[in-house]
Amino acid sequence: TSDLPPGTSPRLHDLARWVSSWCFRPVLRVRVHHAERIPATGPVVLVANHTAFVDGPLLLGLIGRRAAFLTKREMFRGPLAWLLRRIGQLAVRRGQPDPAPLRAAVGVLRGGGMIGVFPEGTRGAGDVVAAQHGAAWLARATGAAVLPVVVRGTRRHEGLRRRFRPRVDVLVGVPLTVAPGGGRAGLTGATETVRAALAGLVVELDERRSNGE
């Protein structure tokens, strides 16, 4: 077993994490709240809202441990496809059953690793109105903890000028335990638990930002 998918270069993955931890500092003012909640070891399904392209690379550099993210297949084109696979990212088809990356993700979790999931499935407002079943299914299948994380400040709203070094906040929630079993109803309930946790974090972080915390 391994904490990264088959075909990953651990050295390239660690280099990508290091680059991601530094490359945004000149253009973003990033603050991480409750980083101590990130489990240092053990299987974890990280679930995050998704508002901008930089969210994935930003989290890769901030979480302090290796992580393989489920990434939309459209990103895997040309030379970038080779790089994404070598640093451990898993290509998924949006809105379609895709067992191969899920099997690889299960292998990572059973090896004690971390899988990152954007449960909305695509970039949006980041308010987590709906969530797909993938994160809850992975946690139920492997016994992994679910770690909710929300990001605010990476999305530039239409009609607004790009700000110089905008403030970006990352709020880490308390890890959740998803009960196994229960069939389809259990999966639906677990998905709602994950969605509600993310939605609550969005509200909390927006309040922090509006209060200048």
Side-chain angles (χ1 to χ4, degrees), residues 102-194:
L102 290 179
R103 284 196 299 267
V106 166
V108 169
L109 293 170
R110 288 178 175 165
M114 177 183 284
I115 291 292
V117 181
F118 296 105
E120 293 170 289
T122 185
R123 295 197 299 273
D127 298 321
V128 201
V129 175
Q132 298 182 4
H133 292 307
W137 183 88
L138 286 169
R140 280 158 49 91
T142 63
V146 176
L147 182 69
V149 177
V150 295
V151 182
R152 284 306 218 193
T154 54
R155 185 186 187 200
R156 180 166 63 94
H157 294 278
E158 293 183 13
L160 296 180
R161 296 179 60 185
R162 187 177 298 277
R163 294 167 296 162
F164 175 70
R165 295 195 76 229
R167 171 181 157 185
V168 173
D169 289 275
V170 179
L171 175 59
V172 182
V174 177
L176 309 172
T177 299
V178 175
R184 173 63 65 173
L187 179 59
T188 300
T191 299
E192 174 56 23
T193 298
V194 173

Side-chain angles (χ1 to χ4, degrees), residues 27-171:
V27 293
L28 300 174
R29 292 177 293 127
V30 181
R31 299 198 308 178
V32 182
H33 308 268
H34 292 301
E36 76 280 358
R37 292 173 174 171
I38 302 173
T41 60
V44 175
V45 179
L46 183 153
V47 291
N49 65 330
H50 198 16
T51 62
F53 170 79
V54 300
D55 292 342
L58 184 67
L59 289 175
L60 181 68
L62 289 177
I63 55 180
R65 58 180 287 187
R66 290 175 173 174
F69 281 79
L70 299 180
T71 305
K72 64 180 182 180
R73 184 172 290 275
E74 290 88 342
M75 294 292 299
F76 288 73
R77 295 176 178 172
L80 184 60
W82 178 88
L83 178 61
L84 289 174
R85 290 189 175 93
R86 291 293 283 165
I87 65 172
Q89 307 315 295
L90 296 169
V92 293
R93 297 184 180 92
R94 294 179 295 174
Q96 300 179 34
D98 201 357
L102 290 179
R103 284 196 299 267
V106 166
V108 169
L109 293 170
R110 288 178 175 165
M114 177 183 284
I115 291 292
V117 181
F118 296 105
E120 293 170 289
T122 185
R123 295 197 299 273
D127 298 321
V128 201
V129 175
Q132 298 182 4
H133 292 307
W137 183 88
L138 286 169
R140 280 158 49 91
T142 63
V146 176
L147 182 69
V149 177
V150 295
V151 182
R152 284 306 218 193
T154 54
R155 185 186 187 200
R156 180 166 63 94
H157 294 278
E158 293 183 13
L160 296 180
R161 296 179 60 185
R162 187 177 298 277
R163 294 167 296 162
F164 175 70
R165 295 195 76 229
R167 171 181 157 185
V168 173
D169 289 275
V170 179
L171 175 59

